Amino acid sequence: MRWALVPSPVDELLIAADEQGLCAVGFHRVPRDPPPGPRVEVDDDPVLRAAADQLAAYFAGRLTVFTVPLSVRHGSGFERAVWAELARIPYGETKTYGEVAAAACAALDRPGEAGHGAARAVGIACNRNPLPIVVPCHRVVGAGRKLVGFGGGLDRKRFLLELEARVELERALS
């Protein structure tokens, strides 16, 4: 694994890649264990370069869907189902923890398990998401569309949701 730091409006981001693709995005100032492997320059790695370019385009309002190859090697079956559902939430839209739980449980052919406990498990899966922003856990909100929970902090979540809403509004008006 190799990693680099890239600037963003929500703080410096730590991005990491392995031989398969982008495997981590993290808010650098949020205390986490540093990734194993060497720190490299973004320009020295094609996956990190693509991720940095796409993140910059996202923050500039020019990119709504990430296409950088991803590498997710960890997570339970339920967490992977949640992350797949997060990736399906359209840019500028939100889903509740309960809606994501229902979809993830249905994808696992366990629709009867989509109760309150599953919604809480979605929150845990979102917190364990190795690729925030790229796999948009910030688009998951509480019941009644209340702004709750985000590993990077609610200020960052609010910023990301407001960025997407502003870009969507500008596109609708043009």
Side-chain angles (χ1 to χ4, degrees), residues 114-173:
H116 182 67
R120 292 179 96 122
V122 166
I124 294 167
C126 286
N127 190 46
R128 292 181 182 162
N129 175 10
L131 297 159
I133 304 173
V134 176
V135 176
C137 52
H138 63 276
R139 296 182 190 153
V140 182
V141 295
R145 304 287 178 211
K146 185 176 178 183
L147 191 66
V148 296
F150 186 59
L154 288 182
D155 288 342
R156 288 186 179 110
K157 183 173 189 164
R158 184 177 297 107
F159 177 90
L160 296 169
L161 292 173
E162 288 174 355
L163 167 72
E164 292 183 10
R166 185 173 57 252
V167 169
E168 287 293 289
L169 179 62
E170 289 169 1
R171 287 182 180 188
L173 295 174

Side-chain angles (χ1 to χ4, degrees), residues 2-162:
R2 61 244 176 240
W3 59 277
L5 298 174
V6 295
S8 87
V10 293
D11 212 343
E12 194 169 46
L13 298 175
L14 186 150
I15 57 175
D18 63 19
E19 62 280 353
Q20 302 297 317
L22 186 68
C23 58
V25 173
F27 301 100
H28 186 241
R29 298 208 195 285
V30 174
R32 300 243 180 191
D33 292 331
R39 180 177 176 178
V40 299
E41 295 299 318
V42 168
D43 289 333
D44 293 340
D45 186 282
V47 173
L48 295 177
R49 173 81 271 153
D53 289 346
Q54 288 182 28
L55 284 162
Y58 168 83
F59 285 114
R62 297 187 317 268
L63 182 116
T64 60
V65 176
F66 289 91
T67 58
V68 63
L70 304 180
S71 176
V72 179
R73 295 178 180 229
H74 303 288
S76 68
F78 182 77
E79 288 170 335
R80 288 173 172 267
V82 167
W83 300 334
E85 288 306 316
L86 300 178
R88 289 185 188 93
I89 303 172
Y91 181 92
E93 295 184 21
T94 60
K95 294 212 178 207
T96 66
Y97 289 92
E99 289 169 330
V100 173
C105 288
L108 294 170
D109 201 25
R110 299 184 336 217
E113 296 178 24
H116 182 67
R120 292 179 96 122
V122 166
I124 294 167
C126 286
N127 190 46
R128 292 181 182 162
N129 175 10
L131 297 159
I133 304 173
V134 176
V135 176
C137 52
H138 63 276
R139 296 182 190 153
V140 182
V141 295
R145 304 287 178 211
K146 185 176 178 183
L147 191 66
V148 296
F150 186 59
L154 288 182
D155 288 342
R156 288 186 179 110
K157 183 173 189 164
R158 184 177 297 107
F159 177 90
L160 296 169
L161 292 173
E162 288 174 355

